[in-house]
Amino acid sequence: MNDLNFFQFVASRSDELIGLTVQHVQITGLAVLLAILLGVPVGILISKNKKVRSPILGIANVFQTIPSLALFGLIIPLLGTGYVPSVFVLFLYALLPIIKNTFIGINSVDEAIIDAGRGMGMTSKQILTKVEIPLALPVIMGGIRISTVINIGTATIAALIGAGGLGEMIFKGISMASNNMVLAGAVPTALLAISVDKLLGMFETKLTPEGITSQKDNQV
Amino acid sequence: MIELVNITKSYDGKTNVIENLNLHIDKGEIVVLIGESGCGKTTTLRMMNRLNDPTSGTIMIKGEDYTKISKIELRRQLGYVIQKVGLMPHLTVGKNIEMIPELKGWDKKKRKDRAYELLELVDLPPEDYYDRYPHELSGGQQQRIGVARALAVNPDIILMDEPFSALDPITREQLQKELLKLQDELGKTIVFVTHDMDEALKIGDRIAVMKDGKILQYDTPEEILKNPANEFVEYFVGKDRLWKSPEMLNANDIMHKSLVTVGQKRSPAQVIEVMKKKDMELLFIVEKETSKPQPPIGYITRKNLKEQEDHKVKMSEICNKDFISVHQNANMVDVLKIMEENEIRYLPVLDDDKNLIGMITTASILNIITKAVAVKEEENK
């Protein structure tokens, strides 16, 4: 097998690689999606409610600091192995950047704009949906981007607890001392991360309201 | 229109930011709240649209206790303009103006028509500005949009919190003028907070000078200038302010009040005698010599009298009946203009009933200037 070069190896295993990539995308995608569903509302909540701010950010920080390898290990007694615990751990990892960025995005909206809105007679909900969220959207999107890119990398470790994905190829490669195999897992992972980052970047630009985009252009 | 009764406000429950404040604002008035920072002027304003709630006391708007309607409803009835403008950066100028109309459910055409009308009103051609974004505009233009936005749903009352303070002096002056023009057209009731006395004097119908949460004096600009209620008001207004604003000084303030007149039946010899005694070159003739103000008939000069050969003639027959006079409320700028254009040194001042109540002479104007110089010197020490 060592006679094959990398490209030949990839070509010979293309079906398997595509399958693993799809699996990889599924795991990270679901984890990030869940993290958005929880993280954005929590981020908004802590921007409004100072009391819960530091405990929530504290907890989210803790999950971020535990080494991912350890966290995958720790989850086994609780949720076992396979798809569900993997997604759960990745979800925990994705949470902090999303919560933090949502909080920062909402919190950094100019106080004068909120004051004007309130003084004109907008309700808190209208201020949130018509002013704060649109203005914070680029920052929130930035958080989602960071989470996703980190998660694509971390998801390779999830293969350890049987989640599948490109990590499987890497670990197999390590145990078989096959560089080609390790690379066949690592290179698509890196490419996936880069392309998803680009894609989300484009999405971020698209979501940025026009009035703010041109403002940034002017500042350059 | 707006009535604040015994308002007290405390943020921490210990110290009162506003203490037992009463304020009555009439319809169509521009009332300026002025004071140093921390005097409670902004808090007072923000209580009017319930961005702050008073700790005790009642506020009536259009004769009704304003807690009877919801905060949101109340705020939509009051325009609000702030120093930092606070335009939504992600929305176009048009959408900014249409924000509240949209929330109120106006249809698209009505909203757009209104935005166009308002842009027109604040002198920004709608075709050019409707689709622009706030950051593309200058500070002055942004604040014009701020004013247009406040007018969007046509509120009777507009609250303005230092709206022009962040602008450069030239733009500020321009916007002040436009605000007055706008006020002439629309007749809104405006409550205006500022720390700038020049601005207050320029735009206020009435000015409330505030300190430590209390109103020290609530009066017309003229009264504040001429009769400051206490030392703080005087200090805050600036002692030389009156002399710096000649348009605030009127004939009434400049004229000699101890008036020398002669009755119409006096003879030339008698009048010459009076002139010598009082050292005057010219005297005004009235019907009778009483202390009661009465209309002037004409004037006579020493030269007229010397040329007079008939010693029995009455003043009413020989006096010059063609003379220029000013109303007592004419301001100093006008007075000086009249005196210069007509090359006269005596200008009679009349009240509403055309009675002679005083005389402006070059000496009385000199007096005013001397006073101003004295105040300046005192300040320089």
Side-chain angles (χ1 to χ4, degrees):
Chain A
M1 204 189 284
N2 279 337
D3 305 322
L4 295 171
N5 70 23
F6 175 63
F7 295 102
Q8 287 166 326
F9 178 81
V10 169
S12 70
R13 298 285 194 105
S14 63
D15 282 352
E16 189 186 351
L17 275 172
I18 288 168
L20 290 175
T21 307
V22 170
Q23 216 170 20
H24 204 95
V25 170
Q26 274 175 348
I27 303 165
T28 45
L30 185 62
V32 171
L33 188 72
L34 291 173
I36 294 171
L37 289 180
L38 183 70
V40 172
V42 168
I44 293 169
L45 175 78
I46 63 171
S47 72
K48 302 287 166 196
N49 189 333
K50 279 184 189 156
K51 267 190 209 153
V52 298
R53 183 178 305 164
S54 41
I56 288 181
L57 281 177
I59 293 168
N61 264 325
V62 167
F63 284 121
Q64 198 77 17
T65 47
I66 300 175
S68 47
L69 198 54
L71 203 57
F72 280 115
L74 288 169
I75 207 73
I76 299 173
L78 298 172
L79 293 174
T81 57
Y83 186 69
V84 175
S86 308
V87 170
F88 184 69
V89 169
L90 292 175
F91 154 78
L92 289 180
Y93 265 94
L95 219 41
L96 182 72
I98 293 177
I99 292 178
K100 239 182 182 168
N101 274 41
T102 305
F103 161 64
I104 291 168
I106 300 268
N107 224 27
S108 58
V109 173
D110 185 356
E111 199 51 49
I113 299 170
I114 312 275
D115 192 46
R118 274 227 313 264
M120 290 195 300
M122 292 174 82
T123 62
S124 303
K125 202 177 139 204
Q126 286 162 346
I127 290 177
L128 185 67
T129 55
K130 298 213 174 252
V131 184
E132 290 176 314
I133 292 180
L135 287 175
L137 213 50
V139 185
I140 298 175
M141 216 32 234
I144 293 172
R145 227 171 120 184
I146 295 169
S147 286
T148 313
V149 172
I150 292 177
N151 252 354
I152 290 173
T154 314
T156 52
I157 303 174
L160 269 185
I161 60 167
L166 290 161
E168 216 176 279
M169 187 67 84
I170 297 173
F171 282 116
K172 230 190 268 175
I174 292 171
S175 60
M176 293 169 69
S178 158
N179 281 345
N180 273 347
M181 204 178 255
V182 172
L183 282 174
V187 172
T189 307
L191 288 177
L192 189 64
I194 292 168
S195 44
V196 167
D197 187 45
K198 273 266 176 279
L199 200 72
L200 289 177
M202 275 157 59
F203 198 50
E204 189 181 318
T205 320
K206 207 166 172 209
L207 277 179
T208 308
E210 201 180 327
I212 306 174
T213 336
S214 28
Q215 202 170 350
K216 275 187 188 155
D217 289 346
N218 283 356
Q219 280 166 356
V220 171
Chain B
M1 196 70 166
I2 306 174
E3 182 99 51
L4 276 66
V5 187
N6 298 329
I7 295 297
T8 297
K9 170 75 185 173
S10 172
Y11 287 108
D12 58 3
K14 283 176 238 155
T15 44
N16 289 338
V17 193
I18 302 290
E19 212 166 321
N20 208 18
L21 181 132
N22 289 285
L23 183 67
H24 173 90
I25 295 167
D26 285 329
K27 192 173 191 311
E29 255 191 324
I30 301 185
V31 166
V32 178
L33 306 178
I34 190 167
E36 291 170 331
S37 58
C39 72
K41 53 188 194 295
T42 294
T43 305
T44 306
L45 187 83
R46 288 169 68 94
M47 282 193 287
M48 293 179 191
N49 63 0
R50 292 187 73 190
L51 285 172
N52 291 333
D53 275 322
T55 310
S56 69
T58 40
I59 297 183
M60 315 275 279
I61 297 217
K62 299 182 206 168
E64 277 198 56
D65 185 340
Y66 79 162
T67 52
K68 279 190 181 149
I69 52 171
S70 76
K71 283 185 184 182
I72 301 302
E73 194 43 51
L74 173 80
R75 288 174 192 155
R76 289 185 186 174
Q77 288 179 17
L78 310 170
Y80 185 52
V81 183
I82 56 176
Q83 182 181 346
K84 289 184 178 163
V85 194
L87 294 177
M88 316 289 164
H90 57 302
L91 302 177
T92 59
V93 164
K95 289 277 172 279
N96 262 288
I97 298 174
E98 291 172 18
M99 178 62 92
I100 293 300
E102 191 184 337
L103 293 177
K104 278 192 134 184
W106 292 18
D107 66 56
K108 210 172 169 189
K109 177 161 186 328
K110 190 178 168 196
R111 288 196 319 245
K112 192 166 177 178
D113 287 349
R114 180 67 179 155
Y116 263 62
E117 189 186 335
L118 288 166
L119 282 170
E120 212 70 80
L121 192 71
V122 295
D123 265 342
L124 297 173
E127 313 76 50
D128 299 342
Y129 286 90
Y130 185 85
D131 287 320
R132 310 248 318 248
Y133 282 96
H135 71 91
E136 299 171 321
L137 310 180
S138 70
Q141 290 168 334
Q142 288 189 15
Q143 194 54 291
R144 278 164 210 245
I145 307 295
V147 173
R149 180 176 65 175
L151 291 168
V153 291
N154 204 15
D156 300 323
I157 300 170
I158 299 173
L159 309 177
M160 306 183 100
D161 190 358
E162 308 212 22
F164 308 144
S165 299
L167 304 173
D168 64 88
I170 296 168
T171 312
R172 188 186 312 149
E173 201 163 313
Q174 209 177 348
L175 280 166
Q176 287 164 349
K177 269 190 202 149
E178 280 173 32
L179 179 69
L180 289 176
K181 200 186 98 205
L182 216 69
Q183 172 65 356
D184 283 342
E185 286 169 30
L186 307 174
K188 303 285 180 194
T189 306
I190 298 175
V191 188
F192 192 106
V193 165
T194 183
H195 58 258
D196 176 0
M197 202 42 157
D198 284 317
E199 185 166 70
L201 293 170
K202 210 172 287 170
I203 66 163
D205 292 318
R206 283 201 280 173
I207 298 173
V209 183
M210 293 186 65
K211 187 177 189 254
D212 301 333
K214 294 190 188 88
I215 293 179
L216 299 180
Q217 187 171 9
Y218 183 38
D219 246 322
T220 60
E222 283 83 359
E223 273 306 301
I224 299 249
L225 280 179
K226 287 170 196 163
N227 301 311
N230 59 28
E231 269 187 15
F232 178 81
V233 176
E234 192 176 356
Y235 153 78
F236 195 73
V237 170
K239 277 189 175 168
D240 62 339
R241 175 84 54 185
L242 188 55
W243 321 117
K244 270 194 205 156
S245 354
E247 67 279 357
M248 289 281 173
L249 276 174
N250 47 38
N252 221 353
D253 303 306
I254 321 167
M255 66 184 189
H256 283 305
K257 287 182 182 112
S258 53
L259 199 57
V260 185
T261 52
V262 289
Q264 57 173 340
K265 290 188 181 142
R266 294 286 190 117
S267 68
Q270 286 173 315
V271 175
I272 287 198
E273 206 45 44
V274 176
M275 280 181 170
K276 275 183 184 162
K277 221 163 142 191
K278 302 278 180 188
D279 191 25
M280 291 183 81
E281 287 295 318
L282 178 150
L283 278 177
F284 266 81
I285 316 295
V286 291
E287 204 176 296
K288 280 183 210 146
E289 281 173 38
T290 61
S291 55
K292 216 181 93 201
Q294 44 192 315
I297 295 169
Y299 70 93
I300 194 93
T301 63
R302 239 187 240 220
K303 206 171 150 227
N304 292 148
L305 290 168
K306 277 180 187 157
E307 283 163 3
Q308 192 59 43
E309 278 156 24
D310 180 357
H311 296 293
K312 284 190 186 122
V313 74
K314 298 280 185 285
M315 282 304 115
S316 56
E317 292 162 40
I318 58 164
C319 70
N320 307 292
K321 288 183 177 136
D322 191 19
F323 59 89
I324 295 159
S325 63
V326 287
H327 185 262
Q328 57 176 338
N329 291 340
N331 71 41
M332 181 148 160
V333 179
D334 292 336
V335 165
L336 289 175
K337 214 186 274 168
I338 290 170
M339 292 181 81
E340 196 191 315
E341 274 170 10
N342 298 290
E343 292 180 3
I344 47 175
R345 287 189 293 162
Y346 294 82
L347 185 61
V349 180
L350 308 184
D351 65 10
D352 288 335
D353 301 322
K354 308 251 182 248
N355 292 321
L356 183 64
I357 53 165
M359 186 73 66
I360 296 172
T361 65
T362 38
S364 63
I365 290 171
L366 205 58
N367 265 342
I368 292 285
I369 296 169
T370 317
K371 257 194 218 167
V373 172
V375 168
K376 263 259 172 288
E377 276 181 356
E378 198 181 306
E379 275 181 359
N380 290 342
K381 279 175 202 165

